[in-house]
């Protein structure tokens, strides 16, 4: 299986099994974008892009609307973005993106997750240099459209890192800054397109496979604990058999 399969599997898992978490994640991002600019996607490009990503993740329209209306209300909530990095068993690494209204609480909860899973929380930059920050978009098209898609992206001056065709879908990896340039090029080629994935993501440069029962148990525990932290927005790691963990 290619990297496209891995990305789609992760996205399907989080939208199918963790809807509440996904809605909360996008709710915060929509609220911040609407609060920091005009609360109208037609006049706020950042807000429009986040709404596009939310729709690709199957976030309901009422969740989107509710958080825009919340921003219009002028509530005093403010959030800070942060990133934590650490080491798991058997050479595994993990990067956690956080959006929080209380930095001390977030750090304490993240550190507690690592301690309970007998893993090590690292310092800034200790792990993230082993990851690439990419834009990823995936949509349903047969492999015979690969050349047309690539030509359209090149003409739009998109920095294409990789393009994969698998299971009736085309997945494009771009420089993270070119994600919406790529989306515009594909929409121009095919008309308004429905995307199954539209996001930026940190992708590991190399993967490890957990082989011991202890390693699998500890890493699974760490993922589950982190997923329960409300402030956690995204979790990235380099374990290629994570879907098999109990």
């Amino acid at each position: 299986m290619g990297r496209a399969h891995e990305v789609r599997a992760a996205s399907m898992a989080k939208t199918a099994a963790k809807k509440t978490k996904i809605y909360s994640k996008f709710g915060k991002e929509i609220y911040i974008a609407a609060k920091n600019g005009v609360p109208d996607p037609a006049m706020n490009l950042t807000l429009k892009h986040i709404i596009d990503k939310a729709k690709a993740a199957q976030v309901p329209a009422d969740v989107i609307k509710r958080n825009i209306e919340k921003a219009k209300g002028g509530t005093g909530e403010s959030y800070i973005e942060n990133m934590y990095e650490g080491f798991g068993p058997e050479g595994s690494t993990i990067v956690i993106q956080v959006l929080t209204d209380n930095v001390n609480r977030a750090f304490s909860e993240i550190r507690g997750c690592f301690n309970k899973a007998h893993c090590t929380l690292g310092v800034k930059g200790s792990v993230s240099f082993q990851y690439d920050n990419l834009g990823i978009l995936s949509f349903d098209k047969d492999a015979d459209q690969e050349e047309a898609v690539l030509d359209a992206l090149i003409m739009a001056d998109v920095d294409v890192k990789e393009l994969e065709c698998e299971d009736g879908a085309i997945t494009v990896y771009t420089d993270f800054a070119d994600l919406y340039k790529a989306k515009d090029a594909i929409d121009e080629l095919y008309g308004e397109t429905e995307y199954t994935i539209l996001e930026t993501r940190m992708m590991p440069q190399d993967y490890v496979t957990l082989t011991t029962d202890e390693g699998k148990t500890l890493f699974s525990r760490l993922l589950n604990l982190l997923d329960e932290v409300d402030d956690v927005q995204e979790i990235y790691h380099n374990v290629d058999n994570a879907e098999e963990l109990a």
Side-chain angles (χ1 to χ4, degrees):
M1 292 293 183
R3 191 160 63 170
H5 173 79
E6 171 209 330
V7 170
R8 284 201 301 275
S11 294
M12 285 188 291
K14 71 183 183 182
T15 53
K18 303 173 183 177
K19 289 183 179 179
T20 300
K21 182 77 173 182
I22 290 297
Y23 298 171
S24 173
K25 167 198 162 183
F26 279 108
K28 286 181 183 178
E29 293 183 7
I30 290 166
Y31 168 77
I32 291 170
K35 183 180 178 183
N36 291 341
V38 180
D40 181 351
M43 303 173 66
N44 183 334
L45 191 59
T46 299
L47 178 59
K48 179 182 182 302
H49 287 169
I50 294 172
I51 290 173
D52 285 342
K53 290 197 293 184
K55 288 179 177 177
Q58 301 177 22
V59 176
D62 67 301
V63 174
I64 295 171
K65 181 179 179 181
R66 183 166 63 248
N67 283 280
I68 292 175
E69 293 300 319
K70 181 180 176 183
K72 289 179 181 178
T75 59
E77 294 180 28
S78 60
Y79 295 96
I80 297 171
E81 292 183 76
N82 218 333
M83 187 167 73
Y84 299 97
E85 309 171 31
F87 304 88
E90 301 182 55
S92 59
T93 59
I94 191 163
V95 178
I96 306 106
Q97 290 183 341
V98 166
L99 196 58
T100 182
D101 59 357
N102 187 318
V103 174
N104 291 332
R105 181 193 66 222
F107 173 73
S108 177
E109 292 183 350
I110 297 295
R111 181 178 57 187
C113 293
F114 276 84
N115 289 341
K116 290 175 184 177
H118 302 289
C119 297
T120 304
L121 184 63
V123 298
K124 185 175 181 179
S126 59
V127 164
S128 55
F129 73 93
Q130 301 175 54
Y131 288 70
D132 295 320
N133 200 358
L134 301 178
I136 307 171
L137 60 167
S138 187
F139 52 98
D140 292 337
K141 286 292 177 185
D142 291 330
D144 61 2
Q145 294 297 303
E146 178 179 359
E147 186 174 346
V149 169
L150 186 57
D151 286 346
L153 294 172
I154 291 173
M155 290 297 295
D157 198 28
V158 173
D159 184 359
V160 179
K161 302 297 185 182
E162 191 174 344
L163 190 150
E164 293 183 354
C165 301
E166 191 174 286
D167 299 331
I170 293 179
T171 302
V172 181
Y173 302 84
T174 74
D175 182 88
F176 78 99
D178 284 355
L179 176 64
Y180 289 98
K181 191 191 294 187
K183 178 183 181 297
D184 290 344
I186 292 167
D187 286 346
E188 184 175 346
L189 178 64
Y190 294 116
E192 187 172 350
T193 303
E194 183 176 343
Y195 296 90
T196 53
I197 300 171
L198 182 68
E199 63 186 41
T200 55
R201 181 179 295 193
M202 295 184 70
M203 299 289 291
Q205 296 162 5
D206 296 292
Y207 289 84
V208 299
T209 301
L210 301 181
T211 58
T212 68
D213 289 341
E214 181 182 17
K216 293 175 183 179
T217 298
L218 291 176
F219 194 77
S220 178
R221 182 185 303 169
L222 177 59
L223 291 182
N224 289 333
L225 287 168
L226 288 170
D227 195 55
E228 293 173 0
V229 177
D230 289 338
D231 291 331
V232 170
Q233 291 288 99
E234 296 287 356
I235 302 171
Y236 306 109
H237 59 77
N238 68 339
V239 175
D240 64 0
N241 59 333
E243 290 182 60
E244 304 169 10
L245 305 182

